[in-house]
Amino acid sequence: DTAVSQTPKYLVTQMGNDKSIKCEQNLGHDTMYWYKQDSKKFLKIMFSYNNKELIINETVPNRFSPKSPDKAHLNLHINSLELGDSAVYFCASSLSHRVGYEQYFGPGTRLTVT
Amino acid sequence: AQTVTQSQPEMSVQEAETVTLSCTYDTSESDYYLFWYKQPPSRQMILVIRQEAYKQQNATENRFSVNFQKAAKSFSLKISDSQLGDAAMYFCASEGAGSYQLTFGKGTKLSVIP
């Protein structure tokens, strides 16, 4: 059984388009995250939701909008895609937002903007 | 604010040998955790080991152990009896009690030579 799943795994699109990445976890966790991993493998938090409420909103362009319809899902919508948005996007979840809990990561979505 | 520094972009080890990956960190939090995550070529991030800052005893998970030097703000990972499956990017990360987020280092790419 997949713990944290993301769709799609690969996404190739043109500049200016709008796209969404979906994430689902079946672990019963309260907290979900989106990370961006750039071409140099640097991993940085973008957003975090706890029980559907936004608790972390890092300095990310307004073109990125997360949506959490329920505790098990956290989707990422990106408007007006730019070349610099090309990266691997990881969804993760943890039992709690409190310190020390393991984060379980999805397989990543490789976004390529041409 | 937290920073995590991994000074070794790449390392290699012979199969069955031992290797140590370095990590230093800085945090203003008194309550924090430190983690090592592994990212194999499949991209899936997996927790290797975690250490609570209040615990003096170094964490151990099978062939993986850490050397936690709190005063020096150092948190190195030792992999014993290296196996081909250990080849991956290894990320050191910290999480402070008030931050609700992981801060990652830039990673160390470990190659295992048969």
Side-chain angles (χ1 to χ4, degrees), chain A residues 66-84:
Chain A
K67 281 192 172 52
S68 182
D70 54 58
K71 274 191 350 179
H73 296 86
L74 179 61
N75 304 323
L76 183 65
H77 188 74
I78 316 169
N79 288 328
S80 304
L81 277 154
E82 300 178 358
L83 292 177

Side-chain angles (χ1 to χ4, degrees), chain A residues 9-10 33 35 37 41-43 45 56 58 88 90 97 99-103 105-110, chain B residues 31-33 35 37 39 42-47 50 89 91 95-97 99-102 104-106:
Chain A
K9 272 194 171 181
Y10 298 93
Y33 310 82
Y35 288 88
Q37 186 174 44
K41 301 287 190 183
F42 185 57
L43 206 62
I45 184 80
I56 295 172
E58 286 294 294
V88 181
F90 286 96
H97 64 284
V99 69
Y101 283 84
E102 177 179 357
Q103 292 189 20
F105 285 78
T109 296
R110 181 178 293 280
Chain B
D31 182 15
Y32 58 93
Y33 274 72
F35 304 81
Y37 277 86
Q39 186 179 36
S42 66
R43 285 202 320 237
Q44 189 96 31
M45 296 276 289
I46 305 161
L47 177 67
R50 90 185 101 179
M89 284 288 289
F91 292 94
E95 183 184 23
S99 69
Y100 304 135
Q101 62 180 285
L102 286 171
F104 285 93
K106 293 191 174 183

Side-chain angles (χ1 to χ4, degrees), chain A residues 1 6-7 19 23 28 39-40 51-52 55 63 74-75 81 87 94 111 113:
Chain A
D1 278 350
Q6 294 178 228
T7 51
K19 290 292 178 186
C23 178
S39 57
K40 295 184 178 177
N51 282 321
K52 300 195 300 174
I55 58 171
R63 300 180 294 102
L74 179 61
N75 304 323
L81 277 154
S94 64
L111 172 64
V113 183

Side-chain angles (χ1 to χ4, degrees), chain B residues 37-89:
Chain B
Y37 277 86
K38 170 185 176 181
Q39 186 179 36
S42 66
R43 285 202 320 237
Q44 189 96 31
M45 296 276 289
I46 305 161
L47 177 67
V48 175
I49 200 165
R50 90 185 101 179
Q51 173 85 39
E52 184 177 2
Y54 275 111
K55 289 191 176 174
Q56 297 209 344
Q57 188 171 6
N58 288 325
T60 300
E61 288 285 343
N62 301 314
R63 298 182 295 107
F64 298 87
S65 61
V66 298
N67 183 4
F68 175 43
Q69 302 286 328
K70 191 171 183 179
K73 296 186 175 176
S74 168
F75 183 62
S76 59
L77 175 70
K78 185 171 91 170
I79 306 173
S80 304
D81 184 26
S82 296
Q83 300 175 0
L84 294 178
D86 295 333
M89 284 288 289

